[in-house]
Amino acid sequence: MKSIIFFLYVTATACSAADLTGNWLVATPNGDGTVRRTYFNLKQQGHRITGTIRATLHLYSIDKSTGGKENFTITAAMPILGSERRVTYRGKLAGDELQLVEVGATGARPAMTAHRVPEGEGALPARIEPPPLHPVRDNGLARTPPMGWNSWNKFANRIDDATVRGIADAMARYGMRDAGYVYVNIDDTWEGERDPRGNIQANQKFPNMNALADYVHSKGLKLGIYSSPGPNTCEGYEGSYGHEQQDARTYAAWGIDYLKYDWCGAFTLYKDSEMRAVYQKMGDALLTSGRDIVFSLCQYGLSDVWKWGPAVGGNLWRTAGDISDSWESVSRIGFSQERLATYARPGHWNDPDMLEIGNGHMTDAEYRTHMSLWSMLAAPLIAGNDVRGMSSSIHDILTNREVIAIDQDKAGHQAKRVWQSGQQEVWSRELAGGDTAVAVFNRSPQDAKVSFRWADAGIRKAPSRIRDLWRHAEQKQTGPQYSVEVAGHGVVLMRVG
Ligand code: GLA
């Protein structure tokens, strides 16, 4: 049987060897034992080339082509996030290889070599119908917003066992853990291949997940991991598609305490309207995994996730696209969260994305605003910097306990904007026990004097006690009016009573 298939394959290959028709694979080693695969499934009819390109999680359809086998250009498109993503490749047939270059990609893209592989290899797996909806039981975790660290913002794909151990050491040594940052979360690119029974394995960068979890736990910390409901993650690594229960059990057996579950690879198989059912699968799987695992939904705030996140067992859900280490990104995301305030509550939090504090492209004043705003928003505080080598000012921003106490306030109310004049705004948040957290933000790059009446900020009785949480000092001002100098892009954060 095998030899017949081989004969047919060789014959088919020989017949089409003269043109571009066929299934072509570009295999690029990731340097960790895994391979990034891009499949070009091409059909050439004269000067017309059609077909698909499957690049990690993206499935593109070729809709334009010019030239022939000696020199061709193909352009392909895929719908994503309500718009269209396009790629263009230039290439030529050289012997039995296809030589390709991606055109117009950001940065210099190296030339790629593709080899013929059997038809069908690299095709999208069959679609698994999403389950009927039902409410997933609350797991009882994350009664206050989760705090910890995640590898993505600083390390991206350069994360490995030794770095995670070093981070855990630093979290314990430099007071991060004692300030409340307990989760040490590995983001994308830890994944290896599945074993013959379908069990997910880590790649060469993580030789022993059990041992790593033991190490992190021995420091009084918890370990988090990352996956996707799709066949692939954003970086093209193995996702949990069709293996949800098996993966949840594997994570539990490794000693994992937190899962970030990133939609990315599911785009090609499911509509946005099916997200809830698809997330519910993993919510159910985690509940029966035998271990307490915080469930972090990462689908960039699509489909009003705040309305159904708790019902799929989600403890937190991203409310926006990816953050970056810039004032533009942090202020755009942070100041647009007000409309979601009513959805935050103990066990279930809006997540405007991980912190960029200490990553080097903002001023300390801007990082204090980042920390203050996230704390006012009752947002998860997941540090994203290299905590092994922080400056003392970054350390003081991240571990300011008076600010963290606002974030972690038990009542779990998310702040609202209560006053605004031009680029200056006041946000307030009711705290357990009757105090109010008040943040005066200056979004302008110039320093500004901000004056407002407490009554206009919704605080009926002028406060008798005002504590400045960055200066760590009581303020003497009394009366119905409050005035303060706020640095450009800065904040004055207060607890008033
Ligand atoms: C997405 C997520 C990021 C990060 C990367 C990893 O972009 O939103 O936070 O997890 O994937 O590939």
Side-chain angles (χ1 to χ4, degrees):
M1 182 65 180
K2 257 193 185 147
S3 60
I4 296 174
I5 293 173
F6 182 70
F7 171 74
L8 289 174
Y9 168 59
V10 169
T11 313
T13 307
C15 291
S16 56
D19 68 13
L20 300 168
T21 300
N23 195 20
W24 301 87
L25 167 65
V26 176
T28 316
N30 284 317
D32 51 23
T34 63
V35 171
R36 173 177 286 245
R37 294 185 171 86
T38 306
Y39 290 92
F40 295 79
N41 197 279
L42 307 180
K43 186 159 191 214
Q44 183 179 1
Q45 289 162 304
H47 280 291
R48 186 152 177 269
I49 305 161
T50 53
T52 59
I53 302 172
R54 184 168 175 220
T56 64
L57 63 149
H58 302 302
L59 183 68
Y60 299 91
S61 296
I62 298 171
D63 60 3
K64 272 189 207 145
S65 70
T66 57
K69 65 182 182 182
E70 268 91 42
N71 183 6
F72 66 88
T73 304
I74 46 178
T75 299
M78 75 169 272
I80 192 166
L81 294 172
S83 72
E84 197 182 50
R85 187 187 282 245
R86 301 188 73 81
V87 283
T88 299
Y89 291 89
R90 235 190 356 252
K92 65 174 183 201
L93 193 61
D96 50 9
E97 285 177 4
L98 202 57
Q99 289 169 359
L100 293 152
V101 175
E102 190 177 345
V103 182
T106 43
R109 287 290 169 109
M112 303 178 290
T113 303
H115 297 279
R116 282 186 192 275
V117 291
E119 202 55 49
E121 186 184 314
L124 264 190
R127 187 184 132 99
I128 301 169
E129 281 310 307
L133 294 176
H134 67 85
V136 176
R137 182 167 52 77
D138 190 335
N139 60 15
L141 304 173
R143 295 297 103 180
T144 61
M147 291 178 66
W149 176 91
N150 173 293
S151 57
W152 186 254
N153 285 356
K154 174 70 188 177
F155 294 93
N157 61 359
R158 299 175 309 278
I159 188 66
D160 57 17
D161 179 282
T163 308
V164 172
R165 285 172 192 250
I167 294 288
D169 292 345
M171 304 264 293
R173 187 176 322 126
Y174 302 138
M176 291 282 287
R177 176 195 63 202
D178 295 345
Y181 295 88
V182 292
Y183 291 99
V184 176
N185 295 346
I186 305 166
D187 208 279
D188 203 354
T189 79
W190 65 267
E191 307 88 341
E193 308 285 331
R194 292 188 180 276
D195 75 10
R197 278 173 301 171
N199 294 314
I200 186 71
Q201 304 171 101
N203 64 42
Q204 289 167 359
K205 296 190 297 181
F206 292 91
N208 187 336
M209 278 293 187
N210 277 109
L212 180 58
D214 286 350
Y215 185 81
V216 170
H217 293 152
S218 78
K219 298 275 161 183
L221 295 160
K222 294 171 186 284
L223 186 64
I225 214 160
Y226 167 100
S227 189
S228 172
N232 296 111
T233 67
C234 293
E235 285 295 293
Y237 285 67
E238 186 73 18
S240 292
Y241 184 68
H243 294 272
E244 293 80 2
Q245 289 223 335
Q246 196 176 12
D247 286 359
R249 279 199 295 269
T250 301
Y251 303 151
W254 283 346
I256 297 293
D257 308 291
Y258 186 116
L259 172 68
K260 173 173 166 184
Y261 205 43
D262 191 344
W263 187 246
C264 253
F267 270 123
T268 41
L269 286 160
Y270 295 112
K271 297 198 280 280
D272 289 3
S273 57
E274 293 168 321
M275 278 180 183
R276 175 174 170 181
V278 173
Y279 272 96
Q280 175 189 292
K281 271 177 118 173
M282 186 51 97
D284 281 337
L286 292 177
L287 265 190
T288 54
S289 69
R291 193 173 170 89
D292 281 345
I293 300 180
V294 170
F295 190 24
S296 158
L297 315 187
C298 174
Q299 41 79 289
Y300 340 111
L302 296 172
S303 298
D304 291 349
V305 57
W306 35 87
K307 293 186 180 157
W308 50 264
V312 299
N315 297 112
L316 58 156
W317 48 82
R318 281 272 295 277
T319 59
D322 288 13
I323 200 167
S324 62
D325 183 19
S326 73
W327 170 253
E328 189 283 320
S329 170
V330 165
S331 60
R332 177 173 40 78
I333 296 174
F335 289 112
S336 64
Q337 299 296 306
E338 200 203 349
R339 70 201 168 91
L340 306 180
T342 51
Y343 296 100
R345 61 176 191 274
H348 310 284
W349 308 101
N350 290 310
D351 173 13
D353 208 355
M354 305 168 294
L355 301 174
E356 290 283 8
I357 295 166
N359 279 334
H361 293 96
M362 284 189 267
T363 64
D364 284 355
E366 290 168 338
Y367 286 139
R368 272 191 291 274
T369 297
H370 188 2
M371 183 76 185
S372 305
L373 184 50
W374 262 236
S375 295
M376 290 296 284
L377 295 173
L381 296 178
I382 308 291
N385 59 320
D386 189 348
V387 295
R388 299 170 304 181
M390 288 183 277
S391 67
S392 63
S393 61
I394 293 301
H395 174 266
D396 292 350
I397 293 170
L398 283 169
T399 58
N400 183 328
R401 299 218 180 190
E402 293 193 80
V403 177
I404 291 172
I406 303 297
D407 181 75
Q408 295 289 299
D409 183 75
K410 289 198 166 37
H413 299 304
Q414 179 171 327
K416 290 193 173 159
R417 185 188 281 112
V418 288
W419 182 91
Q420 185 166 21
S421 167
Q423 297 201 75
Q424 285 79 48
E425 34 193 271
V426 177
W427 290 57
S428 99
R429 172 173 176 185
E430 276 174 47
L431 303 173
D435 284 357
T436 306
V438 177
V440 185
F441 294 106
N442 175 14
R443 294 173 67 176
S444 137
Q446 275 87 43
D447 298 356
K449 180 158 184 172
V450 186
S451 299
F452 63 94
R453 293 169 56 86
W454 290 111
D456 293 341
I459 296 169
R460 255 177 265 128
K461 198 166 81 60
S464 54
R465 197 170 45 80
I466 303 176
R467 182 157 176 89
D468 184 319
L469 306 185
W470 287 110
R471 293 214 165 91
H472 302 292
E474 305 292 324
Q475 294 204 358
K476 297 273 162 338
Q477 277 191 61
T478 51
Q481 181 91 11
Y482 183 77
S483 295
V484 71
E485 282 286 337
V486 190
H489 292 177
V491 64
V492 170
L493 181 62
M494 300 170 274
R495 177 187 273 266
V496 305

